Amino acid sequence: MELTYFSSAFCEPCRQTRAVLAEVERLVPQAHVRELDVARDTAEAEASGIRITPTVIVHDSAGAEVFRATGVPTLSQVLVAIAKVL
């Protein structure tokens, strides 16, 4: 399962989100976080409708979006979204 994380270089909430997602990866070995910088990965950010960083999107195994959080998500929010996928 993939979590796509859109960030930007000077975003303090992005650092906090990075820590939450690192804990998710530690707790759920099947979870893979892919971080994309909105300045570098503009086409993918636009295609995903990213307007705010940080934004985290959880996809199921078929690639369908099952969860989206803008701002810093809580560990619980992300784990509940992952539970829907598993």
Side-chain angles (χ1 to χ4, degrees):
M1 132 201 16
E2 183 171 276
L3 291 81
T4 305
Y5 166 46
F6 291 92
S7 66
S8 54
F10 300 103
C11 166
E12 179 57 37
C14 292
R15 289 183 221 168
Q16 296 167 0
T17 300
R18 205 171 283 118
V20 169
L21 296 178
E23 183 66 4
V24 167
E25 284 185 308
R26 187 183 75 74
L27 293 171
V28 184
Q30 305 95 312
H32 169 70
V33 175
R34 182 173 67 119
E35 183 173 349
L36 300 172
D37 185 292
V38 294
R40 274 193 320 257
D41 303 296
T42 55
E44 191 153 356
E46 287 176 13
S48 295
I50 303 304
R51 305 256 185 269
I52 296 172
T53 60
T55 296
V56 176
I57 303 172
V58 177
H59 297 93
D60 65 14
S61 59
E65 182 178 318
V66 296
F67 173 79
R68 180 181 289 238
T70 56
V72 181
T74 66
L75 179 60
S76 296
Q77 286 175 313
V78 180
L79 291 175
V80 166
I82 287 172
K84 292 178 183 178
V85 174
L86 298 176

